[in-house]
């Protein structure tokens, strides 16, 4: 299934590095999301974009910076991360950010390790 | 208290068994309810929505009790391929996009 793709699939970075995660959806959706899934913890919503505008920032530290240049692409820029930021970062999309947003399609995720 | 609570399991059951998972949620304003499935090292996928009247999809039956803020998933005639983590998901409010996930219940179906 290639509805939502994410690159890279795996990323190892040092605390002083700057890197970016990329997500692309091929479903014609208007809403996109970033989630974080840490070991032994539930999925946590980080950001929501609707029609390229950020509609939700779920108290995420500023070392995570999202960017949505168009409705098909979503980036998560990372800088000065901490080891506790190591997790699986999942991108998702939905038809819109309203009631249709309940049906979200997830990408395969980027497994991030911060050393 | 966690917003969405699930027994993490694992539930180890033989093929053909019937197994039930429960989930409780704390926000009484939650509007919509779902079960997602996540295979090991894969992304979550929507399994089914949960309605107050209860709904069935093949071997899967979901129930919602709003008064008790309780959701259940019943799997009949378990298959090996049902082995996965089942995530209980609720919306925080009327905003359909604000999904809150439970920690998941792991199911292992053995031959």
């Amino acid at each position: 299934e290639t509805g939502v793709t994410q690159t890279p699939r795996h990323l190892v970075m040092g605390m002083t590095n700057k890197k970016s995660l990329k997500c692309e959806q091929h479903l014609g959706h208007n809403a996109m999301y970033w989630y974080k899934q840490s070991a032994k913890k539930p999925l946590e919503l980080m950001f929501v974009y609707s029609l390229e505008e950020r509609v939700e920032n779920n108290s995420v530290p500023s070392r995570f910076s999202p960017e949505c240049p168009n409705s098909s692409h979503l980036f998560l820029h990372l800088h000065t991360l901490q080891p506790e930021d190591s997790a699986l970062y999942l991108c998702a999309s939905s038809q819109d950010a309203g009631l249709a947003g309940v049906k979200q399609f997830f990408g395969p995720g980027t497994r991030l390790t911060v050393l | 208290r966690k917003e969405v609570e699930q027994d993490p399991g694992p539930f180890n059951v033989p093929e053909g068994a019937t197994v039930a998972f429960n989930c409780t949620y704390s926000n009484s304003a939650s509007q919509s309810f779902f079960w997602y499935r996540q295979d090991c090292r894969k992304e979550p996928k929507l399994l089914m929505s949960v309605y107050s009247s209860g709904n069935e999809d093949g071997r899967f039956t979901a129930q919602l009790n709003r008064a008790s803020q309780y959701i259940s998933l019943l799997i009949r005639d378990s298959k090996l391929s049902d082995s996965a983590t089942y995530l209980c998901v609720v919306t925080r409010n009327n905003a359909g996009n604000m999904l809150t996930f439970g920690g998941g219940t792991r199911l292992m179906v053995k031959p």
Side-chain angles (χ1 to χ4, degrees):
Chain A
E1 295 179 27
T2 57
V4 183
T5 57
Q6 289 186 244
T7 55
R9 295 292 307 275
H10 300 271
L11 177 63
V12 180
M13 61 186 287
M15 289 191 283
T16 58
N17 292 156
K18 286 185 181 181
K19 297 285 184 185
S20 295
L21 310 185
K22 179 183 176 182
C23 175
E24 183 173 0
Q25 58 94 2
H26 311 272
L27 301 168
H29 288 167
N30 290 317
M32 296 186 77
Y33 311 80
W34 280 116
Y35 287 88
K36 176 183 178 182
Q37 188 172 35
S38 305
K40 310 284 187 188
K41 290 179 73 176
L43 248 72
E44 300 170 68
L45 179 65
M46 299 175 73
F47 300 104
V48 181
Y49 274 82
S50 175
L51 297 170
E52 300 130 57
E53 296 222 2
R54 192 190 307 178
V55 297
E56 175 78 7
N57 175 348
N58 202 24
S59 304
V60 179
S62 59
R63 57 185 184 271
F64 294 91
S65 175
E67 178 191 0
C68 188
N70 55 61
S71 60
S72 299
H73 293 86
L74 186 64
F75 294 89
L76 188 63
H77 303 300
L78 316 171
H79 64 98
T80 58
L81 294 193
Q82 305 297 313
E84 59 264 30
D85 296 323
S86 299
L88 181 68
Y89 288 85
L90 289 157
C91 173
S93 72
S94 63
Q95 188 174 337
D96 59 49
L99 291 178
V102 298
K103 188 167 183 179
Q104 297 182 15
F105 295 81
F106 285 81
T110 295
R111 189 159 294 281
L112 173 67
T113 303
V114 182
L115 300 176
Chain B
R1 182 185 173 188
K2 293 179 185 174
E3 287 189 71
V4 181
E5 287 213 63
Q6 294 183 251
D7 180 344
F11 284 55
N12 294 297
V13 303
E15 262 187 297
T18 295
V19 61
F21 307 136
N22 303 320
C23 164
T24 56
Y25 60 95
S26 61
N27 186 351
S28 58
S30 297
Q31 294 292 320
S32 303
F33 310 88
F34 309 89
W35 286 101
Y36 274 69
R37 170 193 168 133
Q38 186 171 23
D39 291 287
C40 188
R41 298 197 165 269
K42 298 276 191 152
E43 71 274 20
K45 291 184 180 177
L46 179 64
L47 179 66
M48 59 195 301
S49 302
V50 188
Y51 304 114
S52 297
S53 53
N55 49 297
E56 191 173 306
D57 183 1
R59 298 180 292 108
F60 297 82
T61 301
Q63 295 276 359
L64 166 65
N65 184 323
R66 283 188 186 271
S68 302
Q69 295 180 204
Y70 170 99
I71 305 159
S72 65
L73 178 68
L74 181 78
I75 305 175
R76 290 181 299 279
D77 187 24
S78 301
K79 311 290 185 192
L80 295 177
S81 56
D82 294 333
S83 298
T85 296
Y86 291 83
L87 305 171
C88 178
V89 183
V90 309
T91 58
R92 291 182 192 171
N93 48 32
N94 274 329
N97 54 27
M98 303 301 176
L99 302 184
T100 302
F101 285 77
T105 297
R106 190 167 170 213
L107 171 66
M108 298 180 68
V109 182
K110 302 289 177 69

